Amino acid sequence: METIVNNSPVLLTNEAISEIKRLMNEPGFEPGQYLRVGVKGGGCSGMTYVLGFDTKEADDDIYEIEGISMIMKRAHGIYLMGMQVDYQDGLNARGFVFKNPNASSTCGCGSSFAV
């Protein structure tokens, strides 16, 4: 049995939750997948955000947010603690937006950061 960790280090806005649930209802979404939030090396500023659907791995923690099962590598918490994921659907910008209080600088594209 999987253990769900309380108190997710990442916050999802209502707009992000709505968009993620919409994507989960699209054809091609595979049941049993989780929303993965994380980081990886690369990008303009040194690290890039990871956001997508994936399967659970041994070193993932599981969080439940408004009916969405989210996974994240335990080691990524130091980079993402307190981060907010939003979704914007406007004329000038459309997509997921990351607001990370741990980032010392961010790239103009908004998807990479430095600590």
Side-chain angles (χ1 to χ4, degrees):
M1 182 170 162
E2 298 177 332
T3 302
I4 297 175
V5 179
N6 293 326
N7 302 326
S8 170
V10 175
L11 308 170
L12 303 176
T13 65
N14 290 334
E15 292 80 7
I17 290 168
S18 294
E19 181 63 11
I20 292 164
K21 287 183 176 180
R22 186 191 70 76
L23 292 170
M24 291 170 69
N25 287 311
E26 288 285 310
F29 177 78
E30 297 178 27
Q33 286 193 321
Y34 298 83
L35 174 68
R36 177 172 298 283
V37 178
V39 295
K40 66 180 180 178
C44 318
S45 298
M47 299 188 91
T48 304
Y49 296 110
V50 172
L51 182 69
F53 296 109
D54 199 1
T55 55
K56 184 183 178 303
E57 297 176 1
D59 58 343
D60 286 330
D61 283 332
I62 303 174
Y63 304 92
E64 190 75 26
I65 302 173
E66 298 288 328
I68 297 169
S69 295
M70 182 185 87
I71 53 175
M72 188 176 82
K73 300 278 183 212
R74 290 181 194 116
H76 293 187
I78 191 168
Y79 303 110
L80 301 178
M81 184 64 69
M83 182 178 80
Q84 181 185 74
V85 179
D86 191 17
Y87 182 78
Q88 296 180 355
D89 189 13
L91 294 175
N92 295 329
R94 181 182 181 135
F96 290 98
V97 178
F98 305 92
K99 297 175 186 171
N100 189 346
N102 305 300
S104 61
S105 64
T106 57
C107 176
C109 67
S111 64
S112 70
F113 68 102
V115 288

